Amino acid sequence: MLERRRACCKLAACAVLGAWLGVPAALAQTAPEVSIASVNGINFQGQTAVLDLTLSIRNTAGLALPLQALRFHCGFNGIDVAQGQSTTPVNIPAGGRAMVPVRLDVDSASLLGVLANLPPDGQVNYQLQGHAEIGLTMLQIPFSHQGVIALR
């Protein structure tokens, strides 16, 4: 009963916030699908490594998604290796997809620990968890994704 009441309160808050900010309630409830499309480079620089990724962002909503930024944690094989954020705003059409490059500063020791245990094919499980910031409204939509990517 308490869970149902909380869910109703969250829905009502999203609708009120969406109406107040001029954002449709349907958009406020639909998280984009965020995954790693590719690992473009790993560069070790002492205690910090730079990891260049391309994120694939799919808009599952029926309206355009004015994505201001993504803020997220990235983990490989259960090890949280970095916090990241996209820096380029992008407008993703309804049902559309965008490829967004991101550069992450990673703890070298954590990343070396992951790389030392890679199987021969270089495949690693990854986890992304964070939120999408919509337009200039300060609206934040949480997202989470798990997948497999090659680290080479």
Side-chain angles (χ1 to χ4, degrees), residues 1-46:
M1 182 70 165
L2 184 58
E3 288 297 318
R4 180 179 251 177
R5 177 178 274 163
R6 285 182 182 164
C8 288
C9 287
K10 284 181 183 180
L11 264 171
C14 283
V16 168
L17 181 62
W20 180 65
L21 295 172
V23 176
L27 179 61
Q29 299 172 31
T30 305
E33 292 178 2
V34 181
S35 61
I36 298 176
S38 64
V39 177
N40 306 320
I42 301 172
N43 185 14
F44 288 94
Q45 302 171 345

Side-chain angles (χ1 to χ4, degrees), residues 45-83:
Q45 302 171 345
Q47 293 180 352
T48 303
V50 175
L51 185 61
D52 288 313
L53 305 174
T54 298
L55 298 179
S56 172
I57 306 166
R58 189 168 87 85
N59 178 5
T60 59
L63 300 168
L65 179 68
L67 183 67
Q68 188 67 25
L70 288 174
R71 298 186 195 281
F72 60 93
H73 287 272
C74 178
F76 295 115
N77 287 342
I79 299 170
D80 190 19
V81 295
Q83 281 187 198

Side-chain angles (χ1 to χ4, degrees), residues 118-140:
L118 281 180
D121 64 359
Q123 298 290 312
V124 64
N125 294 317
Y126 72 87
Q127 309 82 33
L128 294 175
Q129 187 168 10
H131 65 268
E133 296 177 359
I134 307 306
L136 299 174
T137 63
M138 297 177 26
L139 180 64
Q140 297 179 355

